[in-house]
Amino acid sequence: GAVVSQHPSRVICKSGTSVKIECRSLDFQATTMFWYRQFPKQSLMLMATSNEGSKATYEQGVEKDKFLINHASLTLSTLTVTSAHPEDSSFYICSAQQFISAPNEKLFFGSGTQLSVL
Amino acid sequence: EDKVVQSPLSLVVHEGDTVTLNCSYEVTNFRSLLWYKQEKKAPTFLFMLTSSGIEKKSGRLSSILDKKELFSILNITATQTGDSAVYLCAVGIGGATNKLIFGTGTLLAVQP
C-alpha cells in the first residue's frame, strides 16, 4: 500500500512554543490530507481537512489560528500548533487521500506524533 | 450530527474465543464503512464495506454491513494475543473528499 510519512514521531516542548508536524505522501500524490487528534483511550477526532493549494477546512470547535495547516504541494501538509499549552498534549495523526480519478476511501495514515507540552 | 457508535467499549477474552464487535452509525450521506486495527500508532486498514449483506473475509477476520439497520459487525474467530488492539470503525461521508467519522473504538484484550 501507499506510504505516508509523519515527522516527528514524538516531541516535547515548553509551554508557549510552536511545534510543526509534517505529513508526506511518499509514493503518491495526495490532493487531500486529514489531520486527526487522539486522546488516550479515545477515538480519532477529525480536526481539519487540508486541500492542496487552498485553505484548510476546520471542524467545529477547532481553532484555526491555533492549529495552522499548510498544504503547499501534492505530497506535503504541515500542522503547526502555535503557542502550545499543556492541554494541547495529544497524539496527532495525519492521513492522505490518494489522487486517483475515483474517490478512494482507503485512506493511508501516518505513524502519528505524540506531543507533550510541559 | 453525524455519529458512529461502537460497542462494547472494551472486551477481554481468552485465546481461541470468537468475538463480535459492533458498529452503528447515523450519517447524512453514507458512502462506505471501514474497519481499522490500531495497536500502538497508525491505524491499519482491515475492511471497506459499501454494500449490504456481502461478507468481507480476511483470514480469521470477517465483516458485514447492514445499510437498512445502519450497522456493521466485525468478527474475529480463534483469537490470538496478537489480535489485542483497538478496533476502530469509521464511516466515509459523501462529497468531494473522503472524510471519515470515527467511532469510539473497541479495546480488545486477548489473554493467553
Side-chain angles (χ1 to χ4, degrees):
Chain A
V3 178
V4 175
S5 174
Q6 186 174 342
H7 292 282
S9 58
R10 185 177 183 86
V11 59
I12 301 172
C13 68
K14 291 183 179 180
S15 186
T17 59
S18 293
V19 175
K20 180 185 281 189
I21 303 169
E22 290 189 350
C23 182
R24 292 180 185 271
S25 56
L26 296 186
D27 51 1
F28 67 99
Q29 293 181 321
T31 52
T32 305
M33 290 186 177
F34 301 89
W35 288 95
Y36 293 87
R37 183 174 182 176
Q38 186 176 33
F39 291 104
K41 298 184 180 179
Q42 294 188 25
S43 191
L44 280 73
M45 299 297 297
L46 180 64
M47 297 175 66
T49 302
S50 168
N51 298 298
E52 186 266 335
S54 64
K55 291 184 179 180
T57 303
Y58 290 82
E59 295 299 302
Q60 193 172 10
V62 178
E63 300 175 59
K64 61 181 179 181
D65 295 330
K66 171 78 172 175
F67 299 99
L68 300 179
I69 291 173
N70 184 277
H71 194 157
S73 76
L74 284 171
T75 59
L76 174 64
S77 176
T78 60
L79 167 67
T80 301
V81 183
T82 61
S83 187
H85 290 284
E87 57 265 29
D88 298 324
S89 299
S90 186
F91 186 65
Y92 294 87
I93 191 165
C94 70
S95 68
Q97 171 184 339
Q98 191 167 6
F99 178 68
I100 53 175
S101 58
N104 180 2
E105 272 90 351
K106 282 166 49 175
L107 293 177
F108 300 100
F109 285 86
S111 53
T113 298
Q114 183 64 52
L115 172 64
S116 299
V117 185
L118 304 178
Chain B
E1 182 185 347
D2 296 327
K3 65 178 180 180
V4 178
V5 179
Q6 291 183 246
S7 64
L9 290 180
S10 63
L11 190 58
V12 180
V13 300
H14 289 96
E15 274 192 313
D17 289 348
T18 294
V19 298
T20 298
L21 310 183
N22 304 291
C23 175
S24 63
Y25 61 91
E26 286 182 39
V27 300
T28 52
N29 192 357
F30 176 89
R31 285 172 55 94
S32 60
L33 186 142
L34 299 93
W35 285 96
Y36 289 88
K37 178 182 181 182
Q38 186 179 26
E39 293 177 83
K40 297 237 172 149
K41 294 186 175 179
T44 53
F45 172 82
L46 294 176
F47 297 111
M48 181 175 75
L49 303 154
T50 55
S51 301
S52 281
I54 299 175
E55 185 183 50
K56 291 276 182 96
K57 197 170 173 65
S58 176
R60 296 178 294 103
L61 277 66
S62 64
S63 182
I64 197 163
L65 172 68
D66 186 328
K67 290 170 72 173
K68 182 179 178 183
E69 299 298 328
L70 308 183
F71 79 91
S72 173
I73 59 171
L74 174 68
N75 278 321
I76 308 175
T77 60
T79 53
Q80 303 170 357
T81 54
D83 295 327
S84 297
V86 173
Y87 289 84
L88 296 168
C89 171
V91 173
I93 304 298
T97 59
N98 292 332
K99 182 175 175 178
L100 291 180
I101 306 296
F102 279 86
T104 47
T106 293
L107 174 61
L108 174 65
V110 181
Q111 296 181 340

